[in-house]
Amino acid sequence: PLQIRMVSDTKQLMDANTAYCEKQKVFQLLEGLMSRLIVEQPDDPIAFLIGALQSERKPRVILASVDSEVLAAQAETLSKSSGLVLVDVEHVANTILTSSVGEEAKKYLDRGEQLPDALVVQALTQRLLANDCQTKGWVLTSFPKTIEQAQLLLSMGNLPTLYVHLEVPGEQTLMRLQQRPGYSAEGVRAHLALHERAQKQMAPLFASVAYRVEAGGEKGPVAERVARLLSAALPSRAPRPAPAVALVGPPGSGTAEQAARLADKFGVILISADELVEIAVLQGTPVGLKAKRYRETDTNVPDELIC
């Protein structure tokens, strides 16, 4: 009884701590502070953290879509309606020579080579840390497009508070792009498949802040749905106690089979009372020896022995 009470008290304490962290957004706060500390590496970390705590936390949004026209229109609308700074990675790449990595980037440009993702992310990070982005918040478009770019972006401390994928029917995009010179139906379909595959690969990285919004209709309603997500409560990152499930049923109900399926699907540990008693009997433990007497007389093992 004492052990059961201690377990119960511990669970109540963990639940209370989790509730507090969720209400006060403690884990989001710590995540944001640590990312800024690592990226900016100030000479006085304590003063830097105090200043960061005193400043209002602004939205950091990534917008993605397979349809560049829809993406550009919605990003501009969101920027104007919410006051967020619109950051386009294409513009960052075009002006990279004026950034802190400009000298290194010039070597690649002079050779006619593509800029490495690492250099682009460094220049992008510099832009996202600029004063206007820090005081107003930002909305980033056209990046990341691959799992490697996403990993680089996050490793530099650029953690979004919201990731929105604008869903556009493939046929709508196909019809629009086919009207442009140099675009074939086969090429567009390959582009759509590549985008969808990249989104699936990146999904785990943004799972806690990711949403999908249907964007095949009028621009206004889509912008309103995205704007509402800005004020929505963010999913909690607070750790929770491991799930504990008791599965019971009458004889023949298949509880053993269902329990095995649940354990396999969710990766939890399967504990069977009957198997525990059987193991105790085979090992000849004190509890097993007592349980063996009941088994030999074909009577139910008392609950106190099973517990």
Side-chain angles (χ1 to χ4, degrees):
L2 177 60
Q3 184 178 8
I4 294 175
R5 185 167 64 252
M6 291 176 63
V7 171
S8 177
D9 291 344
T10 301
K11 184 179 184 303
Q12 289 179 8
L13 179 60
M14 292 181 68
D15 289 343
N17 290 343
T18 297
Y20 175 81
C21 290
E22 289 180 345
K23 181 179 180 180
Q24 303 299 334
K25 295 183 173 60
V26 172
F27 287 89
Q28 290 94 325
L29 176 64
L30 291 175
E31 181 183 68
L33 288 173
M34 291 303 101
S35 66
R36 288 190 58 186
L37 187 64
I38 292 171
V39 171
E40 301 188 38
Q41 298 183 4
D43 294 332
D44 189 343
I46 302 300
F48 174 83
L49 290 174
I50 292 174
L53 285 168
Q54 291 174 338
S55 62
E56 184 180 356
R57 190 165 180 255
K58 297 297 182 179
R60 303 184 300 274
V61 183
I62 294 179
L63 280 188
S65 179
V66 70
D67 194 312
S68 59
E69 290 187 15
V70 170
L71 180 61
Q74 294 300 332
E76 184 177 0
T77 301
L78 181 63
S79 174
K80 290 181 178 179
S81 64
S82 304
L84 303 178
V85 177
L86 178 56
V87 179
D88 189 333
V89 74
E90 299 297 335
H91 177 72
V92 171
N94 291 336
T95 59
I96 196 171
L97 293 179
T98 62
S99 71
S100 60
V101 296
E103 185 175 340
E104 183 69 19
K106 189 175 185 300
K107 298 176 183 177
Y108 290 90
L109 296 176
D110 288 345
R111 295 194 298 262
E113 299 177 1
Q114 185 176 349
L115 291 171
D117 287 338
L119 280 184
V120 175
V121 170
Q122 289 182 57
L124 180 58
T125 299
Q126 181 181 342
R127 179 68 188 94
L128 297 178
L129 290 175
N131 185 63
D132 58 343
C133 288
Q134 292 299 309
T135 56
K136 297 179 181 179
W138 47 262
V139 52
L140 172 65
T141 66
S142 306
F143 199 88
K145 293 181 178 178
T146 67
I147 180 65
E148 292 79 14
Q149 291 177 349
Q151 290 170 337
L152 281 170
L153 185 70
L154 296 177
S155 69
M156 290 295 291
N158 303 300
L159 308 177
T161 57
L162 187 65
Y163 183 99
V164 179
H165 187 271
L166 302 174
E167 302 282 296
V168 181
E171 291 304 315
Q172 177 179 324
T173 304
L174 179 63
M175 292 177 60
R176 180 181 295 132
L177 293 182
Q178 275 187 293
Q179 297 173 3
R180 300 179 184 178
Y183 281 82
S184 65
E186 183 179 346
V188 174
R189 288 194 177 93
H191 170 68
L192 295 174
L194 184 65
H195 176 84
E196 186 61 29
R197 183 163 60 251
Q199 287 299 313
K200 288 181 179 179
Q201 291 175 339
M202 292 188 290
L205 299 180
F206 301 107
S208 63
V209 294
Y211 293 86
R212 289 179 175 263
V213 174
E214 294 295 332
E218 295 294 326
K219 182 171 69 173
V222 175
E224 291 174 3
R225 288 196 290 271
V226 175
R228 282 198 296 269
L229 291 175
L230 285 176
S231 58
L234 295 178
S236 173
R237 292 186 176 94
R240 293 181 176 276
V245 180
L247 193 63
V248 297
S253 61
T255 52
E257 180 182 354
Q258 295 303 322
R261 289 181 177 179
L262 288 172
D264 180 64
K265 181 174 182 179
F266 296 104
V268 296
I269 298 174
L270 175 60
I271 299 176
S272 168
D274 287 341
E275 289 184 4
L276 290 177
V277 171
E278 184 65 27
I279 291 173
V281 171
L282 292 175
Q283 292 179 341
T285 66
V287 172
L289 294 176
K290 293 179 181 179
K292 184 178 181 180
R293 302 191 194 110
Y294 292 94
R295 292 239 170 153
E296 290 174 344
T297 57
D298 199 25
T299 55
N300 291 331
V301 177
D303 292 341
E304 56 267 23
L305 284 183
I306 295 176
C307 294

